[in-house]
Every structure is written in structure tokens, then in C-alpha cells.
Amino acid sequence: MTAHSNNATTHLALSAIRPPAWLGEEAGERLVERLEYLRHTPARVVWVGEGTAWADSLATRYPNAACCGYRPDETPAGSAPLSPSDAACDDSFLARLKKRFAKDKRKSATVSFRTADPLHLPEEPGGIDLFFSNLLLYRAADPTQLLAAWQPLLAEDAPLFFATLGPDTLKELKAALACDSAPRWPPFLDMHDLGDILVRLRYAEPVMDMQMLTVRYERPETLRTDWGPWLGLDAAERLNAIPFPFTLTVELVFGHAWRVTRLAQPQQDPRAPRPIVWQPRPGKPQEPTTPQ
């Protein structure tokens, strides 16, 4: 049985403004690089958001894992639409046998791509051993909803990794368009705000960092191809006011944390008084107590 919210009509409103394809791949590659020092062998890996190049890397790194990529917007070519009756991304016994005895003897896992509401992923509670979210959180008005919905899907001690856009993204474009004419973009939370959300949701050991990308555009056509949807219907007219070549900043915010549900043992204050417990002297039999 897959996990779904009790309110089946509740859907997450995502901003329609998606990043350029190259940025999704770049952020995804940097996410995967963070696994270099992770001592973790997942049985099930789930990726939600942008990018496809990660699939080969993760399938090779974890050849025995069941890997699934969810898209909130579209169904990739050659992929069947997701229905509630679907096994969660080829996780059936038959699918595992096919992967094991496939004619292609390369040691790599099979990766499936599906379309699903990221707030209601058709996954078993506690069934995901490694979770990625790539350039999706910024599209939610409140990323807390997503991070809270994903937490019960994680297995005990399973990590969640994410990449999103930070507040310095496209700051040059905002300045060039002026405040009164700048389009309404999604709010970009900084890494401190996202770290606070992880703490409030009781994710364990959250780690945050950020990286700046600098992109130089020689012609307005290239910039319009990448960021036209962010500029609105009058993108061409807006770009006429910008001198080229033009340099843009993209801030990538990365974070990871763990799901730990075990209650930590309270640490005793070494300065607190401790009760004295009397023990018999070694080698000396304890005298019986005569009741009064």
C-alpha cells in the first residue's frame, strides 16, 4: 500500500517557472558529487525534480538499488503515466529479476521515470533509503510542506539531499529590469532559512552550503532561450534595455539531513548529584538481613 494524504484533493501549487535544462543537469551533478564520502548502501533511491544525467551515475554507483525519478510537470518520452495501481517504479519481484538477468551484463541498476505530485509520492512509508530533490523547493510557496511530506517516506537513518535556488539568483537581471517592471519570481530562501526548517521538522544533523555560478551571455537570444519564461510574454522587449554581453549569477543552495526517529538518551549533567549505591566488598559474603 502506498502512502497518500488523507485529503486526496490537496495538491501543491508549484510555480510554473522552471530552470533551464542545463542548470538542472549541473545542479544534479553537484548533488551526486556529495555522495563521494557517504557510507551508505541504499536499496531504494528516489529523485524528484530536474535533470536526467544523474540516472547513469546513481545506477552505476548503486547497481543493486531500485532507482526512480519523479517529475512534477511532464511525462518524459517513452515513460508511462503514473497511476495509483502502478508498482512504485519497477519495485516488483519480477522487475528485480529482469534487472538481475538482463541480457546487458553491465553492472548497473534500472532507472524509471514517472510523473507524480511531489506532495503525494506513491511510495511506501519508510521505504526510501536515499532521497534527492533537485531544483524543486524554490517553486513551492512554502517548502516546509514538501520537506514534511517526504520525511515519513524515508527509512530510519536515511539521508535527504536537495539543491535549490538561493536569493542571489539572477540579481543582475532584477537590477537591470528595475523593481517596478521586474516579473514576479518565486521567493528564494537562503540556506539559513532552509536549515531552520529542517530543524523545526526534526531532521537530524542538517548541513547547508551554497555555490555561486557565473554565466556570461553574449547575445540576448541565448539569454531569452534560458530565462524567457522568467521574463514574461514581453521578454524580447525587456531584453532590449539590457546591454550585452551580460553576466548573470545563479546561487545554488545545497542541503542534506537524516531521518532519525529513535529517541536520544538524555545526557546526564556531570555536576548533578548522583545516588550512592552500596555494594558488598569483593570476596566477602553478604550477611543475611534479619527482619525486625
Side-chain angles (χ1 to χ4, degrees):
M1 180 177 182
T2 53
H4 294 278
S5 169
N6 292 331
N7 184 358
T9 61
T10 301
H11 295 283
L12 183 68
L14 290 176
S15 167
I17 303 180
R18 297 178 56 190
W22 64 263
L23 183 56
E25 301 294 355
E26 180 67 26
E29 181 178 342
R30 296 180 184 225
L31 264 181
V32 173
E33 288 175 355
R34 281 163 162 69
L35 300 176
E36 192 65 32
Y37 302 102
L38 180 68
R39 296 183 178 275
H40 190 64
T41 305
R44 181 159 190 77
V45 180
V46 166
W47 183 288
V48 182
E50 302 293 333
T52 57
W54 59 268
D56 291 337
S57 178
L58 291 183
T60 302
R61 183 183 293 267
Y62 305 117
N64 297 318
C67 300
C68 181
Y70 288 108
R71 305 293 185 78
D73 301 296
E74 82 290 346
T75 303
S79 178
L82 184 69
S83 67
S85 61
D86 271 330
C89 293
D90 292 340
D91 201 24
S92 66
F93 177 70
L94 180 59
R96 289 180 178 273
L97 283 179
K98 288 181 178 179
K99 282 189 283 187
R100 179 172 296 182
F101 299 106
K103 292 182 180 180
D104 186 356
K105 297 298 182 180
R106 289 177 302 171
K107 192 67 173 175
S108 88
T110 299
V111 181
S112 299
F113 290 92
R114 306 285 180 176
T115 302
D117 181 350
L119 197 60
H120 306 290
L121 296 177
E123 291 286 332
E124 296 286 346
I128 301 175
D129 303 298
L130 182 57
F131 190 103
F132 295 91
S133 167
N134 189 29
L135 299 190
L136 182 65
L137 290 178
Y138 81 88
R139 296 177 57 191
D142 183 8
T144 304
Q145 286 182 280
L146 286 173
L147 292 169
W150 296 337
Q151 191 175 35
L153 303 180
L154 298 176
E156 181 74 14
D157 296 325
L160 173 145
F161 286 79
F162 65 81
T164 187
L165 297 180
D168 278 343
T169 299
L170 306 186
K171 60 182 180 180
E172 299 86 356
L173 196 55
K174 292 179 183 179
L177 296 176
C179 295
D180 57 345
S181 61
R184 291 191 173 184
W185 293 338
F188 299 133
L189 296 183
D190 65 25
M191 64 179 183
H192 304 289
D193 294 331
L194 289 166
D196 290 343
I197 292 174
L198 293 174
V199 171
R200 288 199 302 270
L201 293 175
R202 299 187 181 278
Y203 278 92
E205 302 179 15
V207 176
M208 304 295 304
D209 69 289
M210 50 81 69
Q211 297 177 0
M212 293 291 190
L213 304 183
T214 301
V215 188
R216 178 183 171 92
Y217 289 92
E218 300 292 339
R219 299 180 301 166
E221 294 80 13
T222 310
L223 191 150
R224 185 166 63 248
T225 299
D226 283 353
W227 305 101
W230 296 64
L231 302 176
L233 297 177
D234 56 344
E237 181 178 347
R238 290 177 181 272
L239 292 179
N240 288 337
I242 298 178
F244 283 83
F246 191 75
T247 301
L248 285 180
T249 297
V250 175
E251 179 182 351
L252 292 178
V253 174
F254 297 93
H256 70 267
W258 307 76
R259 186 197 183 198
V260 177
T261 59
R262 298 184 304 271
L263 293 177
Q265 294 294 328
Q267 295 184 354
Q268 188 174 10
D269 188 344
R271 298 168 297 179
R274 300 183 181 182
I276 298 176
V277 180
W278 295 98
Q279 300 289 345
R281 182 182 299 174
K284 181 180 180 180
Q286 186 174 7
E287 297 181 0
T289 303
T290 303
Q292 300 295 329

